[in-house]
Amino acid sequence: MGDLESGSGGNGLKRHPVESSSLQKKPLFHSWFQFLILLCLVVFILCYTLSSSSLSWWQSFPLHVQWTSRLNPPRHYRHPQQRVELNEIHKTTQDPPVAPTGTQYHQAYPRNYHFIMDNTEVCKTKTPFLVLMVPVAPNNIAARDAIRQTWGKDSLVQGEVVLTLFMLGLSGGADGEQQQEKLKQENLQHHDLIQSDFMDTYLNLTIKTMVIMDWLATRCPTAAYAMKIDSDMFLNIDNLVIMLQRPGIPKLNYLTGMLMWNRPVVRSKDSKWYVPEEMYPDPQYPTYTLGMGYVFSNDLPEKYVDVSKSIKPFNIEDAYIGMCMKILGLEPTSPPNPSQFKAYNTRYDRCEYSKIITYILGSPQELINYWTDMKKPGPPC
Ligand SMILES: *[C@@H]1O[C@H](CO)[C@@H](O)[C@H](O)[C@H]1NC(C)=O
C-alpha cells in the first residue's frame, strides 16, 4: 500500500522530483513476462465478456459446428446432412441445381403431390399465431405421442393460438395398408396428421419440407408464423412465442433459427454429407437456418412453393430453403438472442432449458422427462 501511495498514487505533489523523473523513465513492464501475463488477462476478459454477452460469438465462425462435430461428436448430435446416404445420392445426380429456363415443375415442387389427409378445417375454425409443423416418419408414433404430451400439448401459449401438426409421406413396405389404417385412426383421435402421397424416405426430405410449405400456403394462409421443427427436438414453446411477440420481429420475409454461413458443400466421397458437383456445382451453400428447427413468417411458404418450380432439388432440405431465400433475394435473419437456438446437448440442466428455445434430444422419453422436470413448480435457476 505504501508503495502505491508514494509511487503511482494520485498525489504527485508529495513526490520527490528525482523520484518522479526516475519513475517516468522506468519501463512500463519490468519484463516481457509481465507484459505477456497482462496481455493474456486482457484477451481472457475480452473473450469472456463477448461469450457471455449475447450469442456465442464463435458461432459466427461458419466452420465451428463442423469442426466440433467432427473432432468430438456429441452423443445425440447429428447434422441434417448426415441423413444423406452416399449411394443414394449417386442415383439422382443428373441435372444442374437450377433448371434451364423453360424447365419447370421439379421434383420438390410440392404440387406434384397430393394430400391424403390434410385436416383442412383446423385453420378455418381458428387463426393461429404460430403453426408448428413436424416432419416425422409414419411409424414413429412414440415421437408424436411424446410431442402431444409436451410442447405440442397447449393450444394457447402466452395468450396466442398455437397449432401442432405432423407431416408424413407414404410408408412403403408390405404392411403399408395396415399402417395406413392405423394412421387414419390416429388422425381421427387427434386431428393432427397431414399426409401426402410421396414416398417417405430420407432422400425425400426436401419434398416433405416443400409439402409442409404447400399446406401452410393453401390450408393455413391466415397464420402469422410457422416453424418447421424435427420430431426429436426439445422446444421451449413459451420462449419461442415470447420471442415472436417482441416488437421488432418482422411480419414478412422473416426466416430465423440457427444460422449457417458459408457452409462448404462436402465433396469428399467418403463423407456422409457428400454432394456431387453435378447435383450442386457451387462450392458453398447459401446462408441457411439449420433444419432442426427454423421459424418463418407465414407469407414465405407461398413464395417458396413458387420458386421451387424452377430449382433442381437437392436432398439437404435446410440448405434448399436457403437456396429458395437466395433466389427470392432474401436472407435469413439472426434471432434476437441467437444462443437460444441450440443443437446438440450434453446433459439436461433445468436452468438452461428454461432459457433456450431448441435443443436436439436423443429419444421421446428424454423429451418427456426433461419437459416434466422443467414444468415442476419452483425457480428454475
Ligand atoms: C421420392 O418420392 C417420389 C414420389 O413418391 C418417389 O418416386 C421417389 O422414388 C422417392 N425418392 C426416394 C429417393 O425415395
Side-chain angles (χ1 to χ4, degrees), residues 91-124:
K91 291 181 202 153
T92 55
T93 56
Q94 299 320 316
D95 319 33
V98 176
T101 353
T103 317
Q104 289 221 315
Y105 301 104
H106 268 289
Q107 198 195 2
Y109 179 61
R111 285 166 199 167
N112 290 336
Y113 309 99
H114 307 93
F115 290 107
I116 298 164
M117 296 186 240
D118 69 352
N119 281 299
T120 191
E121 74 292 343
V122 289
C123 288
K124 287 185 180 145

Side-chain angles (χ1 to χ4, degrees), residues 107-366:
Q107 198 195 2
Y109 179 61
R111 285 166 199 167
N112 290 336
Y113 309 99
H114 307 93
F115 290 107
I116 298 164
M117 296 186 240
D118 69 352
N119 281 299
T120 191
E121 74 292 343
V122 289
C123 288
K124 287 185 180 145
T125 49
K126 49 188 170 185
T127 306
F129 173 71
L130 173 66
V131 185
L132 304 173
M133 297 295 283
V134 190
V136 59
N139 63 4
N140 200 349
I141 303 168
R144 291 195 287 275
D145 279 341
I147 291 167
R148 287 179 184 124
Q149 291 170 51
T150 57
W151 46 261
K153 189 177 172 192
D154 291 331
S155 52
L156 206 62
V157 177
Q158 302 287 321
E160 308 281 6
V161 174
V162 176
L163 194 61
T164 304
L165 297 164
F166 300 97
M167 179 73 226
L168 348 158
L170 288 176
S171 53
D175 62 342
E177 267 184 42
Q178 212 181 333
Q179 275 224 25
Q180 193 55 35
E181 192 48 44
K182 277 192 197 160
L183 289 174
K184 275 185 191 155
Q185 294 305 319
E186 189 181 334
N187 187 50
L188 272 176
Q189 194 183 344
H190 300 285
H191 306 283
D192 61 0
L193 302 186
I194 310 294
Q195 190 183 31
S196 175
D197 65 354
F198 63 90
M199 289 305 297
D200 199 312
T201 62
Y202 271 3
L203 265 187
N204 272 346
L205 276 182
T206 301
I207 298 177
K208 208 171 196 174
T209 292
M210 290 312 297
V211 172
I212 284 177
M213 297 304 169
D214 188 30
W215 189 88
L216 288 167
T218 56
R219 269 63 167 185
C220 204
T222 54
Y225 295 97
M227 180 182 205
K228 180 254 161 182
I229 174 158
D230 285 344
S231 62
D232 58 351
M233 298 297 294
F234 184 92
L235 173 66
N236 190 320
I237 179 71
D238 286 274
N239 287 352
L240 174 59
V241 172
I242 290 167
M243 183 196 93
L244 290 171
Q245 285 172 330
R246 285 190 184 214
I249 297 295
K251 293 186 168 22
L252 296 173
N253 296 330
Y254 183 62
L255 169 67
T256 196
M258 186 190 267
L259 263 61
M260 298 282 123
W261 293 275
N262 310 316
R263 286 298 295 264
V265 178
V266 178
R267 300 296 190 197
S268 150
K269 292 192 178 172
D270 321 322
S271 169
K272 275 181 173 177
W273 308 331
Y274 170 64
V275 172
E277 281 181 47
E278 303 89 86
M279 192 178 214
Y280 191 98
D282 278 0
Q284 289 183 343
Y285 289 122
T287 308
Y288 66 94
T289 45
L290 201 62
M292 58 172 190
Y294 49 84
V295 184
F296 44 95
S297 55
N298 203 35
D299 59 310
L300 283 177
E302 170 115 63
K303 298 172 187 173
Y304 295 153
V305 170
D306 271 358
V307 291
S308 75
K309 278 179 199 172
S310 50
I311 303 175
K312 163 80 162 67
F314 49 101
N315 43 316
I316 316 282
E317 65 88 19
D318 45 8
Y320 182 89
I321 291 295
M323 177 58 90
C324 292
M325 288 292 277
K326 187 180 167 183
I327 289 179
L328 289 166
L330 302 171
E331 280 262 332
T333 310
S334 270
N337 179 358
S339 66
Q340 285 186 306
F341 287 83
K342 302 258 199 235
Y344 48 86
N345 78 105
T346 41
R347 65 183 180 90
Y348 172 74
D349 180 280
R350 179 172 148 101
C351 180
E352 165 86 352
Y353 275 61
S354 70
K355 292 177 190 161
I356 53 94
I357 290 176
T358 62
Y359 253 129
I360 297 174
L361 297 181
S363 68
Q365 193 54 50
E366 238 174 58

